[in-house]
Amino acid sequence: ETLARQVETARLQDEYLANAAPASELALLSRPAVQYPRDAVSRGIEGWVDVEFTVDRTGAVQDAVIVEAQPAGRFDAAALAAVAQYRYAPFMRDGQTYARRVHLRIRFTLE
């Protein structure tokens, strides 16, 4: 592998980690059900949580953080616990596998 290719690969990796893309750009392989908090169910509370995380080179989720939530704080733990179990197909470009920063909105709605 040439030095120029290594430099370009490193530059792209930095870019992919610096700028979060929609999680829908990656292939989701496994998504366990989100556990709706019992107190929110009993009180009829709905909402959403925007989560940002890195999908590593193996497709595992790393470094998940809450970006925004409505209502604030109500569903954060459930959202983080859920995305920690998600598995994605590794993100590849031109034969190289990269870690990729993504964002995802998880909605909590009662049926």
Side-chain angles (χ1 to χ4, degrees), residues 95-110:
Q96 290 286 121
T97 304
Y98 297 94
R100 185 73 168 112
R101 194 81 181 157
V102 296
H103 58 85
L104 175 69
R105 175 165 285 184
I106 299 176
R107 297 181 189 281
F108 291 82
T109 55
L110 296 165

Side-chain angles (χ1 to χ4, degrees), residues 63-85:
D63 307 320
V65 294
I66 303 300
V67 177
E68 193 175 353
Q70 192 63 40
R74 171 62 70 180
F75 298 106
D76 295 11
L80 290 174
V83 299
Q85 299 176 62

Side-chain angles (χ1 to χ4, degrees), residues 11 21 27 29 35-36 39-40 42-43 45-46 48 59 63 67 70 74-75 78 83-84 88 93 97 101 104 107 110:
R11 184 193 69 75
L29 303 177
Q35 296 300 308
Y36 210 112
D39 66 316
S42 65
R43 295 175 184 198
I45 299 171
E46 297 186 333
W48 51 265
D63 307 320
V67 177
Q70 192 63 40
R74 171 62 70 180
F75 298 106
V83 299
Y88 288 86
R93 282 292 181 273
T97 304
R101 194 81 181 157
L104 175 69
R107 297 181 189 281
L110 296 165

